[in-house]
Amino acid sequence: MLEHSQTAMSAPSGAPHEWHDIDWWRTQRNVRTMQIRIAKACREGNWRKVKALQRMLTRSYSARYLAVRRVTENQGKRTAGVDRVLWDTPEAKWNAAIGLKRHGYKPQPLRRVFIPKSNGKERPLGIPTMRDRAMQALHLLALAPIAETTGDPNSYGFRIERSTADAMGQLFVCLSKRLSARWVLEADIQGCFDHINHEWLITNVPTDKVILRKWLKAGVVHKGQLQATDAGTPQGGIISPTLANMALDGLETQLKQHLGVTRAKKLKVNVVRYADDFVITGDSKEILEEVRSWVEQFLAVRGLQLSPEKTRITHIDDGFDFLGWNFRQYSGKLLITPSKKNAKAFYSKVKEVISANKAATQEDLIRQLNPILRGWAFYHQPVVAKKAYSRMDYQIFQALWRWAKRRHPNKGLEWIRRKYFQPTEDRNWVFRTTLLNEAGGKEEIRLYTLEATPIERHRKISGDYNPFDPAMEEMGEKLRMSRMLGKMKYRKQVARLFQSQKGLCSLCKNPITRETGWHDHHIIYRSQGGGDSLNNRVLLHPICHLQLHARGLTVNKPTPTSGV
């Protein structure tokens, strides 16, 4: 307690004195105001002012609070680094935020872990300590406005409100017309994160050079041995995707400058990139050979090279795979469908779940499978996927039929069908079961049907969208609302609450986003007689939900509106 009170005294007067005292609305406003100023100075080319504003932001308490909040709320919050330390209490988070300073900072080595890739190989990840992650998150707050302002228009990976569907939409624009480009350079960078030249990053990325060098040279610990890091930025670090993006920014703009803007347009040269995977269109194979030579030189300066196995020039009539989709023209019409490789990997994942749950109840198996099925179905929802959905439904049905027969080797097929596969109004064989709920009524649990997913065309984000430009704030708000509602489409009541609250947390009034997540809070607790009606529920940020309970706060009932 003594240590906690001493660290609390180092905060400025009038500031909060513990984690749950933080005013998150004011904190977000302070950081966003500074980020907008950084983006404005960047657009004006005033790099001296950019540097001064970045220094102010990274030294502010508001930015420190947000940095610690990010690393203690994301998916890696329970994954420790080499020091095995986690910040899982309000006191630990508060002390971490107050102690997050540049002076005397020395990052610890990364903890090396490996995760399997779809091709059977393993992808190396470097896990920083919580303190190093928080420092990265802190400096990313100051770097993100620059990355978004200077980024290529058609770069869609690891950027705010941009997605794989946007990259797909841009390729549709480039390839779907009668006079569109006919040839495509499919490119993949060999070990992008592992080979980026450190000196290039330190020289060209506008962030604290001393801190950046320390991160890049921190080393990794694998099997108890410390290994030096002479190149690359570790996958697993919060700032790494932005560093990799900034290393590749200029691929689109500089290529068009090299060719000449008018000539590039005439030759139908367009670049669409998602992280380190990119596609370049062109009017002929010869022009793409020229482009490939230029790209290799562009990458060589950054210590990178194209993968010989995955880089090829393809005619659109033969088709190519990108981001899990197959793009191909049939008799002059472009069709985008789920790729065979993606479908095969998805089916293997479903089969693994079924095989691992041979003794599980039907209810448990359905609850494990449904999020996987919905995720795959919604990913392919903007493309021509009905045939792929139908084929996959049949394959999954066969796997479940084998699962059911294995459980009852002495029962007849008709008995097994009646027990596990029941007819509905629109289908005869539906993998479902009926249970009694807490109120004593019957509740049906059924497997999600892929074929029932409606095809909905994706509205592509504008290439010049900048989330830190006040002139585009209204566009950004509409984007956030529509994409969050798209994420909630299978949770209709949550979507209604989100709409009624205009996408804002009921406690701090800040936006609810994919990064923040949400908590469905009952105003009057169910243990005290509160019901599940929408009038007794609000959406809160998870951190605001904890703050509400810690400080005994209350939230007002949402005003009922028509349609809610």
Side-chain angles (χ1 to χ4, degrees):
M1 289 296 293
L2 178 61
E3 180 187 357
H4 173 61
S5 60
Q6 286 174 340
T7 54
M9 287 178 67
S10 64
S13 60
H17 293 281
E18 61 177 28
W19 185 250
H20 289 311
D21 286 344
I22 296 172
D23 183 341
W24 291 110
W25 180 84
R26 187 185 298 275
T27 298
Q28 293 270 19
R29 185 197 63 182
N30 292 344
V31 170
R32 178 157 177 81
T33 300
M34 290 295 291
Q35 288 178 319
I36 289 172
R37 291 178 65 191
I38 291 170
K40 182 174 183 289
C42 178
R43 287 194 299 274
E44 294 169 350
N46 190 344
W47 294 103
R48 188 173 179 178
K49 186 175 182 180
V50 166
K51 189 174 181 179
L53 290 170
Q54 283 183 308
R55 190 184 301 114
M56 288 173 61
L57 179 58
T58 54
R59 293 180 180 182
S60 71
Y61 279 92
S62 292
R64 294 187 209 176
Y65 298 152
L66 280 184
V68 172
R69 172 177 168 175
R70 174 170 179 175
V71 301
T72 55
E73 287 193 359
N74 62 14
Q75 290 183 340
K77 63 184 178 183
R78 295 187 180 89
T79 305
V82 291
D83 60 356
R84 301 295 177 183
V85 172
L86 293 176
W87 297 337
D88 49 6
T89 64
E91 291 77 15
K93 295 173 187 177
W94 175 254
N95 289 334
I98 296 300
L100 206 62
K101 298 176 181 178
R102 182 182 188 275
H103 181 69
Y105 170 69
K106 183 180 179 181
Q108 292 183 270
L110 307 165
R111 183 164 68 90
R112 174 70 81 208
V113 297
F114 293 89
I115 59 172
K117 293 171 67 174
S118 58
N119 60 6
K121 298 180 181 179
E122 289 187 321
R123 185 190 305 278
L125 290 185
I127 309 298
T129 63
M130 293 295 285
R131 184 162 184 252
D132 293 336
R133 270 179 263 174
M135 281 294 284
Q136 289 187 18
L138 176 64
H139 284 267
L140 181 57
L141 289 172
L143 184 60
I146 302 170
E148 289 290 345
T149 303
T150 61
D152 285 336
N154 292 304
S155 162
Y156 297 98
F158 305 113
R159 294 182 64 184
I160 298 169
E161 296 299 351
R162 299 191 182 215
S163 66
T164 53
D166 292 310
M168 178 273 296
Q170 180 61 24
L171 270 177
F172 182 83
V173 170
C174 297
L175 296 170
S176 60
K177 298 179 178 65
R178 187 172 61 87
L179 297 177
S180 293
R182 307 291 293 167
W183 291 87
V184 169
L185 171 64
E186 306 172 63
D188 183 85
I189 300 170
Q190 195 167 23
C192 177
F193 281 85
D194 299 326
H195 297 106
I196 298 176
N197 184 283
H198 283 178
E199 294 307 317
W200 190 95
L201 285 175
I202 293 166
T203 304
N204 292 279
V205 175
T207 189
D208 190 314
K209 311 292 184 186
V210 174
I211 297 289
L212 179 57
R213 184 180 290 277
K214 287 181 179 180
W215 286 333
L216 296 175
K217 302 296 183 182
V220 297
V221 173
H222 181 51
K223 295 183 178 179
Q225 293 186 335
L226 178 63
Q227 301 170 357
T229 47
D230 299 320
T233 176
Q235 294 188 64
I238 284 177
I239 204 169
S240 295
T242 302
L243 294 178
N245 254 346
M246 296 189 79
L248 296 175
D249 279 335
L251 185 66
E252 179 181 358
T253 53
Q254 291 180 31
L255 174 59
K256 291 188 175 181
Q257 288 172 8
H258 167 75
L259 294 171
V261 176
T262 305
R263 181 170 176 244
K265 188 174 182 180
K266 183 179 178 181
L267 295 172
K268 300 165 187 172
V269 174
N270 297 286
V271 181
V272 178
R273 179 167 67 85
Y274 188 90
D276 58 338
D277 292 332
F278 60 93
V279 167
I280 303 178
T281 67
D283 204 30
S284 68
K285 189 172 184 179
E286 291 71 28
I287 187 60
L288 289 182
E289 291 286 3
E290 179 188 335
V291 165
R292 178 173 180 163
S293 298
W294 181 89
V295 169
E296 287 172 344
Q297 294 173 20
F298 174 88
L299 295 176
V301 176
R302 293 153 175 78
L304 303 171
Q305 61 181 8
L306 293 174
S307 168
E309 315 95 57
K310 298 181 181 179
T311 302
R312 61 179 77 82
I313 296 174
T314 310
H315 194 275
I316 191 61
D317 289 348
D318 297 325
F320 65 95
D321 289 350
F322 185 60
L323 301 176
W325 291 299
N326 179 261
F327 297 74
R328 186 176 177 184
Q329 277 198 2
Y330 297 85
S331 302
K333 183 175 182 180
L334 179 71
L335 293 184
I336 307 172
T337 57
S339 70
K340 290 181 180 179
K341 182 181 176 182
N342 180 272
K344 184 178 179 181
F346 170 70
Y347 180 60
S348 295
K349 185 176 181 180
V350 171
K351 277 184 67 178
E352 281 181 22
V353 173
I354 295 173
S355 298
N357 288 274
K358 290 173 180 173
T361 63
Q362 185 180 13
E363 174 196 355
D364 288 341
L365 182 59
I366 291 173
R367 290 191 191 280
Q368 288 190 55
L369 286 176
N370 274 354
I372 300 172
L373 298 178
R374 283 196 190 99
W376 191 76
F378 290 158
Y379 183 83
H380 294 293
Q381 193 173 28
V383 303
V384 183
K386 278 294 184 180
K387 189 179 287 186
Y389 288 159
S390 180
R391 188 186 303 117
M392 190 60 67
D393 273 335
Y394 179 66
Q395 289 179 284
I396 293 171
F397 160 74
Q398 287 184 313
L400 291 172
W401 180 240
R402 288 192 294 270
W403 175 87
K405 287 195 297 181
R406 182 188 177 280
R407 293 167 70 88
H408 305 282
N410 299 322
K411 294 290 186 180
L413 299 182
E414 182 58 28
W415 184 93
I416 295 172
R417 186 193 69 79
R418 287 198 305 268
K419 180 171 177 61
Y420 294 105
F421 297 89
Q422 302 170 20
T424 61
E425 295 177 359
D426 54 341
R427 296 172 69 92
N428 288 328
W429 290 66
V430 178
F431 194 68
R432 64 172 183 157
T433 186
T434 305
L435 301 171
L436 291 176
N437 57 28
E438 295 177 359
K442 290 185 177 181
E443 178 187 1
E444 180 191 81
I445 299 176
R446 61 186 291 176
L447 190 74
Y448 183 78
T449 305
L450 297 173
E451 198 176 16
T453 308
I455 301 300
E456 295 179 4
R457 187 162 182 180
H458 178 77
R459 179 175 289 184
K460 190 186 82 70
I461 193 171
S462 172
D464 60 358
Y465 171 67
N466 185 344
F468 301 104
D469 186 347
M472 298 185 183
E473 197 159 11
E474 186 178 349
M475 181 197 301
E477 190 60 21
K478 288 179 180 177
L479 267 172
R480 182 183 68 85
M481 287 291 290
S482 65
R483 297 195 171 183
M484 282 297 293
L485 288 170
K487 184 180 179 181
M488 297 171 173
K489 64 179 67 176
Y490 64 94
R491 305 179 67 173
K492 293 182 180 178
Q493 291 193 346
V494 172
R496 289 179 183 174
L497 286 173
F498 184 82
Q499 280 185 303
S500 70
Q501 295 174 204
K502 297 181 180 178
L504 304 178
C505 169
S506 279
L507 187 64
C508 73
K509 307 304 180 186
N510 278 317
I512 295 172
T513 66
R514 285 175 293 183
E515 287 72 30
T516 64
W518 67 85
H519 181 88
D520 190 347
H521 172 70
H522 287 72
I523 299 170
I524 302 174
Y525 303 151
R526 281 176 287 190
S527 59
Q528 298 174 0
D532 279 333
S533 69
L534 297 185
N535 285 337
N536 189 47
R537 291 157 58 191
V538 291
L539 297 183
L540 305 173
H541 292 133
I543 195 168
C544 292
H545 182 246
L546 293 174
Q547 189 178 55
L548 181 143
H549 285 289
R551 300 180 63 189
L553 305 175
T554 58
V555 288
N556 296 325
K557 289 185 179 182
T559 303
T561 59
S562 58
V564 175

